[in-house]
Amino acid sequence: MTQSNYLTIDVEDYFQVSAFEGIVSKGDWDSFDSRVVRNTRKILTLLDYHNVRATFFVLGWTAQKQPDLVKEISGRGHEIACHSYYHRLVYNLSPEEFHTDTQQAKDILEQITGNKVNGYRAPSYSITKRSLWAIDILAELGFRYDSSIFPIYHDRYGIPDAPRFSYRLPGQNMTEYPISTALFFGKKIPIAGGGYFRLFPYWFTRMALRRINKKEGKPFVFYVHPWEIDPEQPRMKEAKALSRFRHYVNLNKTYDRLRQLLHDFSFGPLGSGPV
């Protein structure tokens, strides 16, 4: 419990995820039953119980629709950071589109909270080798840190040879906080949140995270989405089988696993780390 790790919450609704963007258009978002407020509040209550503060990467569209939720998150002592406006994959945008989207989201969050937004996380970790130009734009917009580069192989994201722990981005006054991976037999295993947290049994996750803290002496960066604690959410039956599996596997176990995680490890927001 001596090592303080980083807890991050990506505040987005179940219908906004990248896995469903092929069947859900952004123009239809208003027609869906929004569940982000109730799910985020459930997480906030759990964090209050464990006296944990976290970084909440909030989608600009959601913040604009639910400003009171953003105020509540901030009012409970958590850090507000930016998760884009429309949850579009960075490598599918032009630099101009990315600049506009990110500026819009950052401005909305700062207007709601009255505080500077220092952190950014790309939708689906979509700052890859083909979209590294986004780092220059983030620095231009005044961000102090990023948490978008996942040092693994994946069909949608990842820079496999990127550092596993926090580092200063080349040529920038910005720190990168990669999502954490554990080493097993020299191979990097994604372990710290999201679908991986739901897929692996909790005993394995805990063991791998403890190895990062104790064997490597480093903090880990963990992430979860509010929709992941909501097994009753509407099902997207038209989605592809792999997308459905990734999204729905073990939703009924996430809340209890998160509660156990908060008991087993200590956490703070990314903004409390070095920048």
Side-chain angles (χ1 to χ4, degrees), residues 5-63:
N5 304 289
Y6 301 115
L7 180 63
T8 64
I9 318 293
D10 291 354
V11 182
E12 62 196 48
D13 231 321
Y14 65 96
F15 53 84
Q16 297 170 320
V17 300
S18 297
F20 299 150
E21 64 183 3
I23 60 171
V24 178
S25 76
K26 290 167 180 58
D28 292 335
W29 280 2
D30 275 319
S31 67
F32 284 88
D33 170 33
S34 177
R35 302 170 71 87
V36 71
V37 173
R38 73 193 81 173
N39 291 332
T40 303
R41 283 181 173 155
K42 189 173 181 180
I43 290 177
L44 287 169
T45 300
L46 183 63
L47 297 183
D48 277 350
Y49 179 81
H50 288 275
N51 195 30
V52 167
R53 299 295 171 262
T55 296
F56 284 70
F57 289 96
V58 184
L59 207 64
W61 187 92
T62 298

Side-chain angles (χ1 to χ4, degrees), residues 5-6 180 192 209-210 212-213 218-222 261 265 267:
N5 304 289
Y6 301 115
S180 294
L209 294 175
R210 281 179 172 166
I212 295 172
N213 281 173
K218 298 286 190 177
F220 60 81
V221 178
F222 192 90
L261 185 85
F265 296 93
F267 289 99

Side-chain angles (χ1 to χ4, degrees), residues 87-231:
H87 206 272
R88 293 177 293 182
L89 299 172
V90 175
Y91 49 70
N92 287 341
L93 302 177
S94 69
E96 293 75 21
E97 289 171 325
F98 176 74
H99 187 287
T100 299
D101 178 280
T102 309
Q103 180 78 74
Q104 183 180 9
K106 187 174 190 284
D107 287 348
I108 289 167
L109 294 169
E110 291 180 343
Q111 288 164 11
I112 292 172
T113 64
N115 297 319
K116 189 176 186 298
V117 169
N118 291 312
Y120 177 83
R121 174 172 288 161
S124 299
Y125 305 101
S126 53
I127 294 183
T128 64
K129 284 189 175 178
R130 60 179 166 139
S131 52
L132 279 174
W133 47 260
I135 296 296
D136 291 336
I137 295 174
L138 293 176
E140 177 188 335
L141 292 174
F143 288 98
R144 298 293 309 284
Y145 70 85
D146 175 67
S147 184
S148 305
I149 297 176
F150 213 145
I152 61 167
Y153 287 101
H154 190 275
D155 60 336
R156 297 182 70 94
Y157 53 75
I159 300 180
D161 56 353
R164 293 175 53 235
F165 299 108
S166 64
Y167 58 97
R168 183 58 57 97
L169 287 159
Q172 304 291 355
N173 187 28
M174 288 177 61
T175 299
E176 178 66 35
Y177 289 98
I179 297 298
S180 294
T181 56
L183 282 181
F184 287 93
F185 306 106
K187 301 293 185 182
K188 289 180 286 190
I189 306 296
I191 196 71
Y196 309 105
F197 187 51
R198 291 181 281 117
L199 184 62
F200 295 129
Y202 181 72
W203 67 263
F204 179 76
T205 299
R206 178 172 55 193
M207 178 266 292
L209 294 175
R210 281 179 172 166
R211 282 172 63 123
I212 295 172
N213 281 173
K214 295 182 177 180
K215 190 173 181 179
E216 300 191 77
K218 298 286 190 177
F220 60 81
V221 178
F222 192 90
Y223 74 100
V224 69
H225 305 85
W227 56 261
E228 291 185 283
I229 64 164
D230 182 14

